[in-house]
Amino acid sequence: MTSNVLKAQDSLQCGFNRDFFSSSYSDWYQQTVSELRKPKENKRWKVSKDTEFIIPVVFHLIYPFRVPLDIAQIPKIMNEINADFMRLNSDSIKLRSKFKSRAGNARIRFVLVEQDEKGQPSKGYTIRNSLNYFGIEPNQPYKDMHRMKFKAYEGTPPWNTKKYLNIWVCNLTSFETGKTYVNGFATPPKNAPHWSPIYFADSLIDGIVIGKNVYSNSARSSTLTHEIGHYLGLRHVSGDPPGFLDSALMCTYDDSIFDTPRVLHQNYYCDTTINSCIEPVNDLPDMLENFMDYTGDNCKNSFTKQQVSLMRYCLNTLRPQLANLEIKSIVKPDLFLVDVYPNPNIGSLHIDFKDSFSNNYSVVMFDYLGRKVLESQITQAKSIINLESLSSGLYSIAITNDKSEILYRKSIFKD
Ligand SMILES: [Zn+2]
């Protein structure tokens, strides 16, 4: 792929660069931001940190003009979003040191469904051959972008949007111009306090759409991670100011997240010299690495702690039935001292018990589909588990006792 092509892809946007210029949006937004800055509102965002949310995912592949999409992309994409939301993405080390203390781990896992809504076996995706065109046209309003979700347009209706994250994949290239303006778009949680009601979705359209170009990308892609950010309530880091304002006023717009530096507008280039808004206290350059900016896939690698708090708050409060497999850790780390490392892992996983070893412990590992891939008794206080036969991706590891109680669990990324 030439650098020109990469640059062209970098300049693609998500669906939320639309409809920003309404005056009602501006008034509403200013008011909401000032409300959210009150300390009591901030506290409400906190959900117990040791809780790991698990979100069931179904893909709806819509084959444009009967050209199939490669099913093998689904594991690649699942691994990418799982790594990004567990902060196990290998490019997270590229985050500049000045932002390291602000980086957050969302502790959200995504699992492909194994059963459909009626309890029948499912591979985690649906397929529809369609002769319709779902391209996003220039200046098409957001509210008119959802045809791929309706049978009447040869699209695929969602599974219960309260219980599943529906991800549609289709051709988003404009029919009129042959160009692609939008990589993907998402619906924010209904009643999220910092979104305009014009974006709120009903049960017929709630979910995420990504273009077939994003889906088929063999290189690292962060588009779906960005859209999941919107789906869980995050806004762009710029706060999307109306473009006609002068820059001093544009810098007053914000994403209402306190630890993302203010930026003048969404950034397209990974230029680390950019500091587009000077803040009176603790000024930092633009955080180009933020998943909610528009910089390229080779640049974005992190959410901040406050973004993570907001996503977890929205998931817990505004999408309460979605993460229905919520797991809380059973034993506090200080009661069960074990080190499991390194993570990410290339083949040898060390399990070191510090002082409470007994020989009735077992280790169990599951893949992102929830399938058991490994089970082994632990016979020594310092053990090494061979993971070389496992394919690359995210796994969940649990240490159990002879009563099958889970004493410890952790997510491991196999490189
Ligand atoms: Zn966006």
Side-chain angles (χ1 to χ4, degrees):
M1 199 177 279
T2 68
S3 59
N4 281 342
V5 175
L6 275 173
K7 268 185 189 157
Q9 283 195 336
D10 287 353
S11 72
L12 292 176
Q13 302 171 342
C14 90
F16 289 123
N17 62 319
R18 311 228 155 188
D19 297 330
F20 289 145
F21 307 132
S22 83
S23 58
S24 64
Y25 171 77
S26 175
D27 292 345
W28 162 86
Y29 189 70
Q30 296 284 14
Q31 193 183 342
T32 307
V33 167
S34 62
E35 278 300 306
L36 278 168
R37 282 189 176 281
K38 292 175 184 168
K40 76 172 172 54
E41 300 292 332
N42 188 16
K43 267 184 204 155
R44 286 193 321 176
W45 293 3
K46 290 193 174 156
V47 179
S48 164
K49 278 187 183 157
D50 61 353
T51 307
E52 191 173 284
F53 292 105
I54 300 181
I55 297 180
V57 172
V58 57
F59 284 81
H60 301 298
L61 309 179
I62 302 179
Y63 291 177
F65 298 96
R66 304 192 192 284
V67 179
L69 295 161
D70 184 4
I71 301 300
Q73 286 295 99
I74 291 179
K76 179 249 183 193
I77 292 168
M78 290 298 291
N79 282 331
E80 274 178 336
I81 58 174
N82 271 312
D84 290 346
F85 281 82
M86 295 297 291
R87 194 146 179 80
L88 291 169
N89 49 315
S90 54
D91 53 3
S92 63
I93 56 167
K94 293 198 283 187
L95 179 66
R96 280 170 286 170
S97 57
K98 51 175 71 83
F99 294 116
K100 286 238 155 85
S101 64
R102 300 189 179 202
N105 177 354
R107 292 183 199 280
I108 297 170
R109 288 175 53 208
F110 301 88
V111 180
L112 266 187
V113 293
E114 288 190 295
Q115 291 185 334
D116 69 14
E117 291 180 285
K118 292 178 180 143
Q120 298 301 310
S122 166
K123 291 177 177 165
Y125 57 86
T126 68
I127 290 175
R128 181 174 175 87
N129 285 297
S130 178
L131 292 175
N132 212 337
Y133 220 94
F134 303 105
I136 308 296
E137 306 301 334
N139 304 317
Q140 187 175 19
Y142 174 78
K143 69 180 174 55
D144 296 338
M145 288 160 51
H146 303 277
R147 283 169 298 138
M148 67 292 290
K149 304 167 183 179
F150 293 92
K151 266 190 187 152
Y153 293 98
E154 295 200 28
T156 308
W159 292 13
N160 185 334
T161 53
K162 286 193 166 70
K163 295 182 176 170
Y164 301 95
L165 166 54
N166 289 267
I167 300 173
W168 287 266
V169 184
C170 62
N171 190 348
L172 293 179
T173 301
S174 160
F175 186 74
E176 285 174 26
T177 68
K179 292 181 181 168
T180 307
Y181 303 98
V182 170
N183 262 335
F185 58 96
T187 52
K190 202 170 181 180
N191 301 324
H194 54 309
W195 282 91
S196 165
I198 64 168
Y199 294 115
F200 291 161
D202 59 26
S203 60
L204 299 176
I205 62 169
D206 195 16
I208 295 173
V209 180
I210 55 171
K212 73 177 176 67
N213 298 347
V214 169
Y215 174 87
S216 304
N217 191 350
S218 59
R220 156 75 158 147
S221 173
S222 56
T223 299
L224 184 53
T225 295
H226 175 105
E227 297 304 335
I228 294 171
H230 287 313
Y231 176 78
L232 295 178
L234 295 187
R235 302 200 52 113
H236 289 145
V237 285
S238 65
D240 301 312
F244 50 78
L245 297 177
D246 68 41
S247 58
L249 212 50
M250 281 172 74
C251 279
T252 65
Y253 277 72
D254 192 28
D255 53 4
S256 81
I257 300 289
F258 314 137
D259 58 359
T260 54
R262 290 188 177 229
V263 297
L264 189 61
H265 48 65
Q266 293 293 98
N267 286 295
Y268 289 92
Y269 299 104
C270 206
D271 175 356
T272 53
T273 63
I274 297 174
N275 185 6
S276 60
C277 292
I278 307 294
E279 289 148 310
V281 183
N282 297 329
D283 182 50
L284 280 174
D286 292 12
M287 187 182 178
L288 306 162
E289 298 95 328
N290 198 291
F291 284 126
M292 301 316 288
D293 207 334
Y294 273 167
T295 49
D297 292 328
N298 57 353
C299 194
K300 288 185 284 190
N301 54 48
S302 298
F303 289 114
T304 65
K305 288 190 170 80
Q306 289 273 341
Q307 284 178 315
V308 161
S309 293
L310 179 60
M311 285 193 284
R312 291 171 65 84
Y313 164 75
C314 286
L315 187 51
N316 203 42
T317 313
L318 303 172
R319 296 193 181 278
Q321 293 181 52
L322 185 65
N324 53 358
L325 295 172
E326 177 182 338
I327 291 173
K328 290 195 169 91
S329 61
I330 296 167
V331 176
K332 288 180 184 169
D334 58 345
L335 297 177
F336 190 76
L337 290 171
V338 60
D339 280 340
V340 177
Y341 63 94
N343 190 17
N345 193 287
I346 56 168
S348 293
L349 184 71
H350 291 251
I351 300 178
D352 291 358
F353 292 84
K354 288 176 180 165
D355 50 22
S356 63
F357 182 73
S358 99
N359 58 9
N360 59 12
Y361 295 143
S362 293
V363 56
V364 195
M365 281 183 82
F366 300 90
D367 69 8
Y368 67 92
L369 292 168
R371 294 176 303 205
K372 192 189 287 183
V373 294
L374 182 150
E375 184 164 17
S376 168
Q377 190 126 29
I378 302 172
T379 54
Q380 297 172 55
K382 287 189 189 299
S383 298
I384 297 175
I385 307 285
N386 187 342
L387 304 184
E388 279 171 17
S389 63
L390 298 181
S391 50
S392 156
L394 190 80
Y395 294 86
S396 169
I397 183 168
I399 294 172
T400 60
N401 61 17
D402 55 356
K403 295 177 198 144
S404 294
E405 292 170 332
I406 294 175
L407 304 172
Y408 174 91
R409 69 190 307 282
K410 182 186 177 94
S411 291
I412 299 283
F413 194 78
K414 165 80 192 308
D415 247 346

